[in-house]
Amino acid sequence: MKNKKLVAMALFVTTALMLSYIESLFPFFFGVPGMKLGLANLAVVVVLYDYGWREALTVNVLRIALSGLLFGNLFSLLFSLGGALVSFGSMAAAKRAGLSLYGVSMAGGVFHNAGQLVMAAFLVRTAAVGYYAPMLLVIGLVTGFLIGVSAGELLRRLPKA
């Protein structure tokens, strides 16, 4: 990896980590325990479009690992990782399938919530967490769209990789 790219990736990891921390300071209540807007995913979407899936996956995993170590616990790390890997796979597939930036980001929001529901069902050993699925679908679509709009603006304004 060239030095310029390495520095850019470090800045994206740092940005995602800062957004994750800032988001943890302001609890949002959407009717679902632990619900967040997913601001850190903004950096991942920008890297996915500006650099590629390998770099975006690296930024995503490093952000989750560092965030879990610094601000969370084992359960928050597992929930974040479960949601992020499912989310990232869906975003990479949606981008490859030709969906728009907004569609890719919305798929990421919805599938992040789906991944976390599966992780919750596994950890608490009950499918009753599916009760939250309809609300999480709507929230994932809305927050995914907002992250997509923000990522589009950043991609227009940031210098190309």
Side-chain angles (χ1 to χ4, degrees):
M1 187 179 287
K2 294 184 179 181
N3 287 341
K4 186 176 180 180
K5 185 176 178 182
L6 182 63
V7 169
M9 292 303 106
L11 287 172
F12 279 113
V13 170
T14 304
T15 300
L17 191 58
M18 287 175 21
L19 288 171
S20 187
Y21 176 68
I22 290 168
E23 189 173 38
S24 74
L25 295 176
F26 303 103
F28 293 98
F29 184 72
F30 292 109
V32 180
M35 187 68 214
K36 294 182 180 178
L37 297 173
L39 296 177
N41 203 39
L42 181 59
V44 176
V45 172
V46 169
V47 173
L48 179 64
Y49 274 85
D50 226 11
Y51 289 91
W53 71 267
R54 285 181 182 90
E55 292 83 356
L57 181 61
T58 302
V59 167
N60 208 6
V61 170
L62 285 173
R63 190 265 312 166
I64 290 166
L66 290 170
S67 181
L69 289 170
L70 294 171
F71 318 124
N73 54 42
L74 179 61
F75 286 108
S76 66
L77 182 68
L78 290 174
F79 276 106
S80 293
L81 197 57
L85 293 178
V86 173
S87 169
F88 185 79
S90 73
M91 288 193 304
K95 183 176 184 255
R96 197 174 326 119
L99 265 67
S100 70
L101 172 66
Y102 310 116
V104 168
S105 183
M106 290 166 75
V110 168
F111 281 95
H112 183 88
N113 292 339
Q116 286 191 327
L117 276 177
V118 169
M119 184 61 73
F122 174 75
L123 290 174
V124 298
R125 302 194 188 286
T126 179
V129 296
Y131 167 80
Y132 294 113
M135 198 175 330
L136 287 172
L137 172 66
V138 173
I139 291 168
L141 288 170
V142 171
T143 58
F145 178 75
L146 295 173
I147 295 297
V149 169
S150 301
E153 282 302 311
L154 279 174
L155 286 167
R156 278 191 277 286
R157 296 169 191 267
L158 288 175
K160 295 292 175 210

